[in-house]
Amino acid sequence: MSTKVFCLLLLVAVAAVQGYGHAFSSNHISRHDGHHQIVHGHDHGHHDYYTHPKYEFEYKVEDGHTGDIKSQHEHRDGDVVKGGYSLHQPDGSHRHVHYHADDHTGFHADVKYSTHHIVPHHQ
């Protein structure tokens, strides 16, 4: 069902973009299904099955007409998640965020802003 919804949204997005000129969007998803591991509980007759979570994804949008320019990437291996995202903000600055999270240290994000200085030409 989610694939059908995604395809429908993608079709609507493509139709909308065709009326506005050049725009670019891409994505990549890799899922790595691990082997199931049996985790024994206190009750020896009960078994929980656990799969080691592992994935990575990235996407990018560049729409010159609307100014919507952003990207994100993330990968997870077990309980460790690392990633980042970048976007152009309405004031012209760029926000860059790199983050990581794990069971030992929690979630940490490094946020940086950059601007492009415009030098006016005097005639």
Side-chain angles (χ1 to χ4, degrees), residues 22-120:
H22 299 293
F24 172 78
S25 176
S26 68
N27 65 51
H28 169 76
I29 300 171
S30 294
R31 197 174 109 196
H32 309 279
D33 290 330
H35 298 289
H36 295 288
Q37 300 173 355
I38 298 176
V39 179
H40 298 283
H42 295 291
D43 178 10
H44 294 290
H46 176 73
H47 297 285
D48 288 330
Y49 291 91
Y50 169 77
T51 301
H52 182 84
K54 187 172 183 179
Y55 65 83
E56 60 184 273
F57 75 87
E58 63 182 325
Y59 74 86
K60 186 174 189 176
V61 174
E62 292 182 14
D63 186 343
H65 178 74
T66 64
D68 187 15
I69 301 172
K70 58 190 167 194
S71 64
Q72 181 179 4
H73 67 279
E74 180 176 292
H75 68 277
R76 178 178 183 177
D77 190 357
D79 293 328
V80 178
V81 178
K82 295 180 182 179
Y85 66 89
S86 173
L87 63 101
H88 289 231
Q89 300 193 143
D91 66 357
S93 65
H94 301 145
R95 182 183 347 160
H96 305 276
V97 179
H98 294 279
Y99 59 87
H100 72 275
D102 60 44
D103 280 349
H104 302 290
T105 62
F107 179 81
H108 299 278
D110 179 29
V111 181
K112 294 184 178 170
Y113 295 90
S114 61
T115 59
H116 295 286
H117 299 286
I118 299 173
V119 179

